[in-house]
Amino acid sequence: YLHTILKNHTAHACEGDTLIIECPSRTSVTVLSAFYGRRVPNQHLCPSANTNITVEEDKECTSPVAIEKVLSECQDRQSCHIPVFSPVFGQDPCPLTSKYLLVSYKCRPEHHRTRLVCENERLRLMCKNETVLAIYSATFGHLLHGSPYCPQEPGSHTDMECLSPSALRKVSRRCHGRANCSVLADTQTFGDPCFPGTRKHLRVSFTCVPRYLLEDVGRGSTDPFMISDYTHG
């Protein structure tokens, strides 16, 4: 789920240069795709240094090992540097064509925190230092192992699990991309998925990230909270 709310970034470097990818502290690179070769005409991206060459450029030139190389150098690291030279990528797929490296990636937070409140209590989340909330998961209801913080009434149906299907969507709509938010853990907000008398709780996993790492949800793009009612990340 978090994958859908983190923004995609792209980076490219021309042959002879170094591709540099850097994510903010406490986040790491998740590589989505990598391309080494040429698909775009010379004049539009990384023009050849030698303008006297009359050889027809190969515009369907691609290295099959680019993704492996980028994964080995960048995946799960905060930053990476890749020299863009054909020997780095094995056999040159088109020796007479100037090439480039193009990488698409996300910066994924490495840690998340969990907050829990009992039914009819208010959950408050807050980020500092100009960061905003990214919600991993949210559950409202009662889990089989229960919660020691929210003890059950005697004789209630504690042997049945019951979870609200809309918890993540409701919490995300209220909190995603904001510096702080508060949500009341009640059945008016989340509905009542449980038998009468079952004590419920709201559990939310979240992290704080710089705003530019998040997709602009709802600005013409697909609203990830509409895709389905996620209950777990």
Side-chain angles (χ1 to χ4, degrees), residues 113 115 123-129 131-133 175 178-182 206-208:
R113 289 173 275 171
R115 294 279 184 277
L123 176 78
R124 289 186 171 85
L125 304 178
M126 198 165 110
C127 291
K128 297 174 181 172
N129 303 325
T131 58
V132 295
L133 291 159
C175 300
R178 299 186 179 182
N180 57 71
C181 70
S182 76
F206 70 99
T207 191
C208 295

Side-chain angles (χ1 to χ4, degrees), residues 150-214:
C150 309
Q152 291 296 315
E153 300 290 320
S156 62
H157 292 264
T158 55
D159 58 340
M160 293 190 68
E161 195 165 271
C162 45
L163 294 172
S164 165
S166 62
L168 179 56
R169 191 180 69 215
K170 296 273 178 68
V171 172
S172 293
R173 283 237 164 98
R174 190 101 23 118
C175 300
H176 173 84
R178 299 186 179 182
N180 57 71
C181 70
S182 76
V183 182
L184 189 59
D186 64 355
T187 54
Q188 199 168 340
T189 305
F190 296 102
D192 194 345
C194 303
F195 282 112
T198 305
R199 187 112 193 264
K200 293 167 283 291
H201 62 265
L202 173 65
R203 181 194 299 268
V204 176
S205 292
F206 70 99
T207 191
C208 295
V209 295
R211 184 181 294 281
Y212 69 85
L213 292 191
L214 296 180

